Amino acid sequence: MASRKTSHSKQDKSDKYSILLPTYNERENLPLIVWLLVKYFGESGYNYEIIVIDDGSPDGTLEVAEQLQKIYGEDKILLMTLHFLSKGTAYIHGMKHATGNFIIIMDADLSHHPKFIPEFIEKQKEGNYDLVSGTRYKGNGGVYGWDLRRKVISRGANFLTQVLLRPGASDLTGSFRLYKKEVLESLVERCVSKGYVFQMEMIVRARQLNYTVGEVPISFVDRVYGESKLGGNEIVSFVKGLITLFATT
């Protein structure tokens, strides 16, 4: 992917990483994902903050987040309540409160393991990439805990996307990524998709704007607690979104 000049942050201790965690009914998962984030950031020595953006969870997720804030400190755990219509909306509001020059987006359901974050950071530094995306479809990346149906749907969707859009990245629908803050702001402003198509559009728009994309193989593990949100409506929305992107990019 061609290079695009963005402001070059000093790759030193002045860097700060803001992790955006949109949540909905994640009271069982949130304490563990936060503990793991604190553990791996603590071991690596990088400066960070965790921004929990809760979508009015009725299961008490916000109350759990408040307890975590007391444990780890308000400088490390920031809380937001927002009835967001999409992940994009959550990211927009989360970025407004983020004090880091890098943004990490990931799911709070333990499907994305924080152990990969130091690899994301090193990859970004290696090539001064505008964004680094976790990939399930390259190197030793993989998916665990899915039945055959979900694997076929995911593989098929990714293959179809590669053929139609030629995005220059191997995993379009994943939502475990590291961005330069100004790059994420630029992309979110331009994206019109919602749901699962949003992550795909982010990569396609990045290609259009000649942002550089690095990839890190990850192991994706199906959520430990709670129910998956993938259903028939999401599949239909994905197909519609793919056709729209193909027609407009």
Side-chain angles (χ1 to χ4, degrees), residues 16-19 34 37-38 41-42 45-52 68-69 71-79:
K16 184 175 183 179
Y17 298 86
S18 298
I19 305 101
V34 167
L37 284 166
V38 172
F41 269 103
Y46 295 115
N47 191 15
Y48 72 97
E49 65 183 359
I50 302 167
I51 303 177
V52 178
L68 293 170
Q69 188 179 54
I71 293 170
Y72 296 109
E74 295 183 5
D75 60 324
K76 292 300 182 187
I77 310 290
L78 287 73
L79 305 181

Side-chain angles (χ1 to χ4, degrees), residues 11 16 18 44 53 57 68 86 88 97 113 115 117 124 130 142 144 146 160 173 175 177 181 188 199 219 235 240:
Q11 302 290 6
K16 184 175 183 179
S18 298
S44 62
I53 311 157
S57 300
L68 293 170
S86 67
H97 294 79
H113 201 297
K115 70 181 180 181
I117 290 177
Q124 192 282 323
D130 293 308
Y144 301 91
W146 278 2
L160 186 59
T173 56
S175 54
R177 296 175 185 165
K181 185 178 182 181
V188 168
Q199 303 294 356
S219 301
I235 295 171
K240 288 180 179 178

Side-chain angles (χ1 to χ4, degrees), residues 188-200:
V188 168
E189 285 176 2
R190 290 169 170 80
C191 285
V192 297
S193 304
K194 296 178 180 179
Y196 290 91
V197 184
F198 172 78
Q199 303 294 356
M200 180 171 66

